Amino acid sequence: MGRYTVISADCHAGADLLDYRDYLEPAFRDEFDSWAAAYVNPFADLADADAERNWDSDRRNADLDIEGVAGEVIYPNTIPPFFPSSSLAAVPPETARELELRCAGLRAHNRWLADFCSLSPQRRAGVGQVMLQDLDHAVDEVKQIAALGLRGGVLLPGIPPGAGIPQLYAEHWEPLWVACAEAGVVINHHGGNAGPSPLDGWGSSFAIWVYETHWFAHRALWHLIFSGAMDRHPDLTVVFTEQGAGWIPATLDSLDVAAARYAREGSAIARFAGPTAGSLSLKPSEFWNRQCYVGASFMRPVECAERHTIGIDRIMWGSDYPHLEGTGTFTREALRYTFSGVPPQEVAAMLGGNAAAVYGFDLAALQPLADSIGPTVAEVAEPLTAVPAGASSTVFEPDPIRTW
């Protein structure tokens, strides 16, 4: 093993706004023209010259080649049709027509993404999107995501408080879990989309959002466990991406304690837990070990130190390309910073082997590319003695304690 086959489990892409038009059903195109003409992009990074990294296939592959990344799992980034902002963090629609339009916009994105992945099929696994405000649409689109060959699976949106639809633990969502299980798609839950909007006018609101956003994303883990969804559907695979990794050991310990209390016959707490949470066939930590993974974006050394407790076979490193907080143009340095001193077989699993197994990458097909661009085992093993000048990624921030 001279070089690692690196697969980023967290990258982002999307079409340039007007390029979505041809992917919409014809009935929505005139309304799209009016909407797009008046739309003002709220994100500076989607308006500058480097925004092309989201949709320029050759530019993207060239960037990833330099960083030594052979494969990528692609989450959304640009603005889909009829959304006020990124679909990951958009406020819920307020009217039935707005919901209909956004569903059409996500269908257009999924079609575009399938075409984009087809330009480099061995390297790309696209994650399709659904709208939970319309359960029938979500179920139908899960089937379409599978039919489109988006082997990244489905992005499970978060449900902020006050969203007007049931939380993920509700029996309401059983048709969605059935559809995902029958289609064999991975369920992905990405950080940053489950908490209340920070845009309430108060100066401290964004700081509060940043502090709390990971916790709101983590909630999906215990919602899917205590509702029995993972128990009823043992073949479901659930990935928790870009929400830290250091939170997992303590959370699993806490969930195991709670589950034991819920199952203790005659206990006071069991009377409130309900029959499902009190009769799980496995401990929460065992569901994690059987069905769950972490998309460990820009993983830090303090998180890597927890790898045996999290599960080396559960960790999938991610670069977060093309985001500022990701490893950016310093991916090779970031890998040295986090993984020097770690046995090569463990590094190989976390950097690519686990993602290949979860998302269906063909390692043999990627091998020639990895042999050409991948970081060498010796390179990653060399400790990084100084943070490179100009590196902005949060991976390099000093952090003596466990991260989120």
Side-chain angles (χ1 to χ4, degrees):
M1 187 173 62
R3 295 179 183 266
Y4 291 114
T5 300
V6 179
I7 299 172
S8 171
D10 180 32
C11 289
H12 296 264
D16 197 2
L17 185 64
L18 297 181
D19 288 343
Y20 277 125
R21 186 184 192 277
D22 289 345
Y23 289 93
L24 283 165
E25 291 100 337
F28 297 99
R29 290 176 184 169
D30 287 345
E31 190 156 357
F32 172 79
D33 292 340
S34 300
W35 172 82
Y39 187 77
V40 178
N41 193 321
F43 302 107
D45 65 326
L46 297 181
D48 63 25
D50 279 340
E52 68 177 15
R53 294 178 296 178
N54 287 283
W55 57 77
D56 186 318
S57 182
D58 292 339
R59 163 75 186 273
R60 190 178 186 94
N61 281 347
D63 286 351
L64 295 179
D65 285 353
I66 292 170
E67 299 308 308
V69 176
E72 57 171 335
V73 180
I74 301 178
Y75 289 88
N77 198 40
T78 62
I79 313 300
F82 308 116
F83 275 74
S85 62
S86 164
S87 55
L88 266 175
V91 297
E94 295 181 354
T95 66
R97 178 57 177 169
E98 188 177 4
L99 173 59
E100 181 184 19
L101 291 172
R102 289 200 200 178
C103 287
L106 290 193
R107 290 195 299 271
H109 171 82
N110 293 342
R111 296 184 187 112
W112 173 88
L113 183 59
D115 277 358
F116 186 70
C117 289
S118 73
L119 298 175
S120 200
Q122 294 172 349
R123 299 186 73 165
R124 296 174 183 162
V127 179
Q129 298 187 76
V130 299
M131 289 289 293
L132 292 188
Q133 284 80 6
D134 185 332
L135 179 56
D136 291 338
H137 164 265
V139 168
D140 289 342
E141 196 60 21
V142 163
K143 299 172 185 176
Q144 186 62 20
I145 285 167
L148 286 169
L150 291 172
R151 50 193 176 83
V154 60
L155 176 60
L156 176 65
I159 302 177
I165 57 176
Q167 289 292 323
L168 292 174
Y169 54 74
E171 293 84 353
H172 173 82
W173 301 113
E174 181 62 13
L176 182 63
W177 314 140
V178 170
C180 290
E182 290 180 347
V185 298
V186 177
I187 295 175
N188 303 273
H189 192 60
H190 195 284
N193 71 343
S197 170
L199 305 178
D200 61 6
W202 298 99
S204 59
S205 61
F206 193 75
I208 299 300
W209 180 85
V210 169
Y211 185 82
E212 294 180 340
T213 187
H214 284 125
W215 180 83
F216 276 105
H218 302 341
R219 295 173 75 214
L221 175 61
W222 50 89
H223 285 202
L224 293 178
I225 290 174
F226 287 138
S227 68
M230 290 189 187
D231 212 351
R232 293 190 300 275
H233 305 288
D235 293 331
L236 281 182
T237 295
V238 186
V239 180
F240 298 84
T241 297
E242 200 175 340
Q243 46 188 281
W247 61 280
I248 295 166
T251 299
L252 293 178
D253 287 345
S254 176
L255 294 176
D256 281 352
V257 170
R261 295 180 70 196
Y262 296 161
R264 191 173 297 130
E265 188 174 351
S267 71
I269 195 68
R271 291 184 304 203
F272 298 101
T276 302
S279 60
L280 298 174
S281 65
L282 300 174
K283 297 192 298 184
S285 60
E286 292 171 334
F287 285 114
W288 173 270
N289 292 330
R290 185 178 75 178
Q291 293 172 250
C292 299
Y293 296 83
V294 58
S297 308
F298 38 89
M299 191 176 188
R300 302 179 186 179
V302 69
E303 296 170 304
C304 187
E306 301 265 22
R307 65 190 183 278
H308 292 286
T309 308
I310 298 169
I312 291 169
D313 62 337
R314 305 286 107 184
I315 296 170
M316 302 183 293
W317 174 87
S319 70
D320 199 29
Y321 176 93
H323 288 166
L324 180 65
E325 66 271 22
T327 58
T329 58
F330 298 100
T331 292
R332 294 176 184 274
E333 291 84 353
L335 296 181
R336 290 170 55 196
Y337 186 67
T338 298
F339 296 107
S340 64
V342 177
Q345 293 297 330
E346 296 182 7
V347 177
M350 292 185 285
L351 290 189
N354 296 335
V358 170
Y359 293 109
F361 286 92
D362 186 337
L363 288 175
L366 286 177
Q367 193 65 54
L369 178 62
D371 288 342
S372 173
I373 68 168
T376 67
V377 173
E379 177 185 0
V380 174
E382 182 180 354
L384 189 72
T385 57
V387 175
S392 62
S393 173
T394 57
V395 72
F396 297 116
E397 293 177 0
D399 190 354
I401 60 174
R402 178 179 291 165
T403 58
W404 286 301

